[in-house]
Structure formats: C-alpha cells, structure tokens
Amino acid sequence: MAVLKILVAPDPRLKVVAEPVLQVTDAIRQTLNDMLDTMYAAPGIGLAATQVGINKRLVVIDVANTEAGEAPRPLKFINPEVVACSNTMNSYPEGCLSVPGFYEDVERPESCTVRYLDENGTPQQLQATGLLATCIQHEIDHLNGVLFVDHLSRMKKSMIVKKLDKAKKQQRLSVSYPVVD
Ligand code: QAP
Ligand code: CO
C-alpha cells in the first residue's frame, strides 16, 4: 500500500510521452497497485502513471458508483491503445487529479475498443462506452502527454493553467513562513 504524490499542472513531466512496458514484472504489478491506492485516496475514477511521475504506459480506472452501493471495479491497463472508436461523439464534464478544482465539457467518441495487456501480460480487448469510454480516452491522453485542458479553447486552457500556477506559487510562499501563533 502506497499513496504516491500526484503532479499538478503546469508541470513539464505531464507533457512527456510514456514508454511502453516491455515486460510485466512484479514491480509493474506493484506500481499498478500503488496507483490504485493513490486514485482511491484522492478520490478519483482514473489515474495514469504519468500523473505520479512514472514514465510508463500504465493506467488504472474504477468508474463504479460506490456511493450508490456498487462494489468497487478496479481496472488495470498496461500499454492501452484505442483500436477503434464510434463516429458518434459524446460530451462529458471532465476533471483531472492533475487539474484540481476545474471541470469542463470535452467531446470524445462515445464508445471505443481498447487493446491492452492485463497484469499477467495477457493481451485483452475491452469494448467501452459512456463514462468508461470517456475515462479511458482521458487516461491514454495522459500517456501521450495530453491533458483534458488541451482539448479546450486556448483562452479557457490558459485561464485554468494560470490559476493553477498562481495557486502553486502561493503555496510555495506559505510553506516558507509557517504560522506559529
Ligand atoms: C478522469 O478524473 C475523468 O478536480 C479522472 O478536485 C474525469 O478522477 C474522466 C478529481 C471525469 C472522465 C470524466 C478532480 C478529484 C478527480 C478534481 C478524476 C478534484 C478532486 C478526477
Ligand atoms: Co487526468
């Protein structure tokens, strides 16, 4: 069990294209479990290795609505790839653990087919639709150094990134001067 530190935009490490996993080892399985711990602790519904500063093509997702009594459904993806998608598009208000506090509509294919390796290194294929399809496309974007704000207008994107940058700088100032009274 390990909760990792999540990178917040703007951060150059969020723009790096992640490397494919060549061999599914115990270390990879451990990283996937740590990513799930990190995602559940946040809490979030999806997390890519890029967001925790790991330059590998790994994604975890759980879109189960546990507040509505659904059992958790953790999904682990190694080297995920969209191999087909619908022409029909869907708009969903996306958020991101690396863009905390901001939600904006993003349009993406409503359904997609994803090929990936499971944690045993076995090739798998998944047909996803609705929130799961949106989430997996969002997470694969991270592995390619793309954030949901990159899908917005330049004005909306720059406003969000500037606010996050300002908040980071203010946070750095406040940690240098702890309040003692
Ligand atoms: C990606 O995002 C996603 O701003 C996963 O303050 C989101 O888990 C795909 C979160 C929506 C499809 C639809 C965001 C938590 C979590 C925040 C997340 C925040 C706290 C985001
Ligand atoms: Co994200």
Side-chain angles (χ1 to χ4, degrees):
M1 162 99 197
V3 173
L4 310 171
K5 203 185 140 212
I6 298 173
L7 304 177
V8 171
D11 189 306
R13 290 168 289 181
L14 290 171
K15 296 194 169 182
V16 173
V17 178
E19 298 288 343
V21 172
L22 300 180
Q23 209 180 353
V24 181
T25 59
D26 283 345
I28 293 292
R29 285 184 275 272
Q30 184 62 56
T31 300
L32 286 164
N33 286 332
D34 291 346
M35 285 170 60
L36 276 174
D37 292 338
T38 305
M39 183 186 79
Y40 287 131
I45 61 169
L47 186 75
T50 309
Q51 294 178 272
V52 289
I54 296 171
N55 187 26
K56 292 194 175 90
R57 303 191 79 82
L58 300 171
V59 163
V60 295
I61 289 178
D62 190 337
V63 293
N65 190 351
T66 48
E67 280 182 17
E70 285 180 25
R73 281 196 305 275
L75 296 173
K76 300 171 182 177
F77 300 90
I78 300 167
N79 301 340
E81 267 184 275
V82 173
V83 293
C85 63
S86 60
N87 286 319
T88 315
M89 304 294 278
N90 191 21
S91 177
Y92 194 92
E94 295 188 18
C96 180
L97 290 167
S98 296
V99 188
F102 295 89
Y103 291 83
E104 293 288 344
D105 284 349
V106 177
E107 204 169 89
R108 301 183 190 269
E110 181 180 61
S111 52
C112 61
T113 306
V114 179
R115 228 174 259 165
Y116 63 99
L117 300 179
D118 68 15
E119 57 187 327
N120 302 312
T122 307
Q124 300 285 352
Q125 195 164 294
L126 175 80
Q127 178 65 36
T129 188
L131 180 58
L132 179 58
T134 300
C135 194
I136 195 145
Q137 292 174 77
H138 173 118
E139 301 310 332
I140 291 173
D141 266 1
H142 276 299
L143 302 181
N144 295 324
V146 174
L147 297 175
F148 83 87
V149 296
D150 295 320
H151 293 279
L152 308 177
S153 70
R154 266 148 61 178
M155 198 186 75
K156 267 190 183 164
K157 176 184 167 176
S158 71
M159 189 206 71
I160 292 171
V161 174
K162 270 182 201 154
K163 283 187 183 170
L164 288 169
D165 198 33
K166 196 171 165 189
K168 260 193 204 180
K169 282 170 179 156
Q170 279 172 349
Q171 205 172 15
R172 273 202 291 274
L173 282 176
S174 63
V175 292
S176 327
Y177 302 109
V179 178
V180 287
D181 66 18

